[in-house]
Amino acid sequence: KVALTGRNGTGKSSLFSMLLGELETDNGSLQLPDSWVIAHVAQQTPDSDRSALDFTLDGDAELRELQNASESEKDGHRQAELLARFEVIDGYRAESRAAQLLNGLGFSPEQVMQSVNSFSGGWRMRLNLAHALMCRSDLLLLDEPTNHLDLDAVIWLEQYLRDYQGTLLLISHDRDFLDQVATHVLHIEQQRISLYKGNYTTFEVTRSERLAQQQAAHEKQQVEIRHMRQFVERFRAKATKAKQAQSRLKALERMTLINAAHVDSPFHFSFAEPDKQPNPLLRLEQCSAGYGDKKILTTINLEIQQQQRIGLLGPNGAGKSTLIKLIAGKLAQTSGKRLLAQD
């Protein structure tokens, strides 16, 4: 279970594209076992009137091939071979496995039978994830799989990936998710890839220790180089020391330089201090909000005070974004009062 890390633009998605055969190498060679099945999450969901369950089942290509071949096969011996293979791949439980995937990703029993076209963008990405997980793959490539997932679905996905029997290559900016899933970290920095054993927290500790050791070795070597150069400059013209000076000069030429430790992180962020700090900052009293005739929130009572750290939880569609818009003043309440602190 390998977490692929590195700042934006270092090549994480390019590596995925190369493994999928979408991007060729400029030099060198890429070797994968011929028998490997690689699964990944598509970025686009096709327009389809097929149900969410059928779309998920389509992720198992061999299952669909066996079903189609069995329906059209006339030869009894060949049909028996197809049915035997169908049993080997656990085909009789395929619908149950697909339903479990959809349930884990937050789909209700009613939604499982809805058409793909009936779902919004976020739910379609969940369908694409279910489609990829349905594939009995040897290598699973996941790029930010927790996007569009609520907390319950993220927790379910963590357990699913820990139990996954193939090799997982995972890109995510959620360090808690990486800590729960990853057994190794593949880090891209300065056009090089380094493999670390352990989860993301272990990687950070190990990498910081390596950087500290590299910086100490660099500084020690720079002192040694400076002393050797001073010796050469001082004694190369003296006959009694010329041989020693020449020896040190050759040693300098043969020396493998240790680079200074470099952290590839140009991002810096800080919160500006507020001019005033009224308390409470905002109060909602019996507030309701929605869009047109559709009510999303009703009779909300909420007080936000200084220094609070508030986690906003709930399944997709429960009204989290609506509440944020209401708090920010981007959406007017349909009833109740929104009381903002005065400057």
Side-chain angles (χ1 to χ4, degrees), residues 69-83:
S70 180
E71 290 174 1
S72 60
E73 184 59 57
K74 303 300 183 183
D75 180 79
H77 181 71
R78 175 57 181 158
Q79 192 169 63
E81 291 178 342
L82 293 172
L83 290 175

mmCIF file of all heavy atoms in Angstrom, residues 69-83:
data_model
loop_
_atom_site.group_PDB
_atom_site.id
_atom_site.type_symbol
_atom_site.label_atom_id
_atom_site.label_comp_id
_atom_site.label_asym_id
_atom_site.label_seq_id
_atom_site.Cartn_x
_atom_site.Cartn_y
_atom_site.Cartn_z
ATOM 1 N N ALA A 69 -20.500 -14.141 -23.171
ATOM 2 C CA ALA A 69 -20.113 -15.336 -23.917
ATOM 3 C C ALA A 69 -21.025 -16.513 -23.588
ATOM 4 O O ALA A 69 -21.394 -17.303 -24.469
ATOM 5 C CB ALA A 69 -18.663 -15.683 -23.608
ATOM 6 N N SER A 70 -21.393 -16.654 -22.321
ATOM 7 C CA SER A 70 -22.243 -17.763 -21.893
ATOM 8 C C SER A 70 -23.623 -17.691 -22.527
ATOM 9 O O SER A 70 -24.220 -18.708 -22.881
ATOM 10 C CB SER A 70 -22.358 -17.767 -20.364
ATOM 11 O OG SER A 70 -23.179 -18.830 -19.925
ATOM 12 N N GLU A 71 -24.146 -16.469 -22.682
ATOM 13 C CA GLU A 71 -25.474 -16.292 -23.268
ATOM 14 C C GLU A 71 -25.504 -16.691 -24.739
ATOM 15 O O GLU A 71 -26.521 -17.194 -25.238
ATOM 16 C CB GLU A 71 -25.926 -14.839 -23.116
ATOM 17 C CG GLU A 71 -26.253 -14.454 -21.671
ATOM 18 C CD GLU A 71 -26.569 -12.973 -21.528
ATOM 19 O OE1 GLU A 71 -26.549 -12.271 -22.566
ATOM 20 O OE2 GLU A 71 -26.813 -12.513 -20.396
ATOM 21 N N SER A 72 -24.395 -16.475 -25.444
ATOM 22 C CA SER A 72 -24.373 -16.732 -26.890
ATOM 23 C C SER A 72 -23.752 -18.080 -27.258
ATOM 24 O O SER A 72 -23.844 -18.511 -28.406
ATOM 25 C CB SER A 72 -23.607 -15.610 -27.609
ATOM 26 O OG SER A 72 -22.271 -15.546 -27.133
ATOM 27 N N GLU A 73 -23.114 -18.742 -26.285
ATOM 28 C CA GLU A 73 -22.420 -19.999 -26.574
ATOM 29 C C GLU A 73 -23.412 -21.153 -26.749
ATOM 30 O O GLU A 73 -24.284 -21.379 -25.904
ATOM 31 C CB GLU A 73 -21.439 -20.323 -25.434
ATOM 32 C CG GLU A 73 -20.601 -21.557 -25.656
ATOM 33 C CD GLU A 73 -19.765 -21.475 -26.907
ATOM 34 O OE1 GLU A 73 -18.973 -20.510 -27.028
ATOM 35 O OE2 GLU A 73 -19.920 -22.364 -27.759
ATOM 36 N N LYS A 74 -23.262 -21.912 -27.836
ATOM 37 C CA LYS A 74 -24.143 -23.043 -28.122
ATOM 38 C C LYS A 74 -23.508 -24.377 -27.724
ATOM 39 O O LYS A 74 -24.212 -25.338 -27.410
ATOM 40 C CB LYS A 74 -24.487 -23.071 -29.617
ATOM 41 C CG LYS A 74 -25.142 -21.791 -30.129
ATOM 42 C CD LYS A 74 -26.451 -21.495 -29.419
ATOM 43 C CE LYS A 74 -27.112 -20.241 -30.006
ATOM 44 N NZ LYS A 74 -28.362 -19.893 -29.274
ATOM 45 N N ASP A 75 -22.178 -24.431 -27.756
ATOM 46 C CA ASP A 75 -21.484 -25.672 -27.447
ATOM 47 C C ASP A 75 -21.545 -25.953 -25.946
ATOM 48 O O ASP A 75 -21.130 -25.120 -25.130
ATOM 49 C CB ASP A 75 -20.021 -25.575 -27.895
ATOM 50 C CG ASP A 75 -19.254 -26.849 -27.606
ATOM 51 O OD1 ASP A 75 -19.410 -27.819 -28.380
ATOM 52 O OD2 ASP A 75 -18.531 -26.874 -26.588
ATOM 53 N N GLY A 76 -22.079 -27.107 -25.574
ATOM 54 C CA GLY A 76 -22.266 -27.431 -24.168
ATOM 55 C C GLY A 76 -20.967 -27.538 -23.395
ATOM 56 O O GLY A 76 -20.887 -27.091 -22.240
ATOM 57 N N HIS A 77 -19.936 -28.127 -24.001
ATOM 58 C CA HIS A 77 -18.655 -28.267 -23.328
ATOM 59 C C HIS A 77 -18.035 -26.897 -23.050
ATOM 60 O O HIS A 77 -17.541 -26.640 -21.938
ATOM 61 C CB HIS A 77 -17.700 -29.106 -24.185
ATOM 62 C CG HIS A 77 -16.361 -29.324 -23.545
ATOM 63 N ND1 HIS A 77 -16.181 -30.139 -22.448
ATOM 64 C CD2 HIS A 77 -15.132 -28.809 -23.848
ATOM 65 C CE1 HIS A 77 -14.903 -30.125 -22.096
ATOM 66 N NE2 HIS A 77 -14.246 -29.334 -22.937
ATOM 67 N N ARG A 78 -18.076 -26.036 -24.056
ATOM 68 C CA ARG A 78 -17.517 -24.697 -23.891
ATOM 69 C C ARG A 78 -18.316 -23.899 -22.859
ATOM 70 O O ARG A 78 -17.745 -23.167 -22.058
ATOM 71 C CB ARG A 78 -17.526 -23.966 -25.249
ATOM 72 C CG ARG A 78 -17.070 -22.517 -25.208
ATOM 73 C CD ARG A 78 -15.677 -22.362 -24.630
ATOM 74 N NE ARG A 78 -15.267 -20.973 -24.574
ATOM 75 C CZ ARG A 78 -14.307 -20.508 -23.762
ATOM 76 N NH1 ARG A 78 -13.672 -21.336 -22.939
ATOM 77 N NH2 ARG A 78 -13.992 -19.236 -23.771
ATOM 78 N N GLN A 79 -19.626 -24.078 -22.855
ATOM 79 C CA GLN A 79 -20.454 -23.368 -21.878
ATOM 80 C C GLN A 79 -20.143 -23.830 -20.462
ATOM 81 O O GLN A 79 -20.109 -23.023 -19.525
ATOM 82 C CB GLN A 79 -21.934 -23.579 -22.191
ATOM 83 C CG GLN A 79 -22.847 -22.645 -21.399
ATOM 84 C CD GLN A 79 -24.263 -22.685 -21.905
ATOM 85 O OE1 GLN A 79 -24.902 -23.725 -21.835
ATOM 86 N NE2 GLN A 79 -24.760 -21.557 -22.412
ATOM 87 N N ALA A 80 -19.849 -25.111 -20.302
ATOM 88 C CA ALA A 80 -19.470 -25.620 -18.982
ATOM 89 C C ALA A 80 -18.154 -24.994 -18.520
ATOM 90 O O ALA A 80 -17.980 -24.672 -17.340
ATOM 91 C CB ALA A 80 -19.348 -27.142 -19.037
ATOM 92 N N GLU A 81 -17.203 -24.806 -19.454
ATOM 93 C CA GLU A 81 -15.934 -24.162 -19.115
ATOM 94 C C GLU A 81 -16.154 -22.720 -18.673
ATOM 95 O O GLU A 81 -15.533 -22.248 -17.716
ATOM 96 C CB GLU A 81 -14.992 -24.199 -20.321
ATOM 97 C CG GLU A 81 -14.475 -25.577 -20.673
ATOM 98 C CD GLU A 81 -13.589 -25.541 -21.900
ATOM 99 O OE1 GLU A 81 -13.657 -24.541 -22.658
ATOM 100 O OE2 GLU A 81 -12.810 -26.499 -22.110
ATOM 101 N N LEU A 82 -17.052 -22.037 -19.390
ATOM 102 C CA LEU A 82 -17.351 -20.641 -19.041
ATOM 103 C C LEU A 82 -17.992 -20.549 -17.656
ATOM 104 O O LEU A 82 -17.650 -19.671 -16.852
ATOM 105 C CB LEU A 82 -18.276 -20.020 -20.089
ATOM 106 C CG LEU A 82 -17.687 -19.825 -21.488
ATOM 107 C CD1 LEU A 82 -18.770 -19.396 -22.469
ATOM 108 C CD2 LEU A 82 -16.558 -18.795 -21.463
ATOM 109 N N LEU A 83 -18.911 -21.435 -17.354
ATOM 110 C CA LEU A 83 -19.580 -21.420 -16.058
ATOM 111 C C LEU A 83 -18.611 -21.782 -14.934
ATOM 112 O O LEU A 83 -18.706 -21.244 -13.823
ATOM 113 C CB LEU A 83 -20.759 -22.390 -16.071
ATOM 114 C CG LEU A 83 -21.952 -21.976 -16.940
ATOM 115 C CD1 LEU A 83 -23.005 -23.073 -16.975
ATOM 116 C CD2 LEU A 83 -22.568 -20.661 -16.440
#
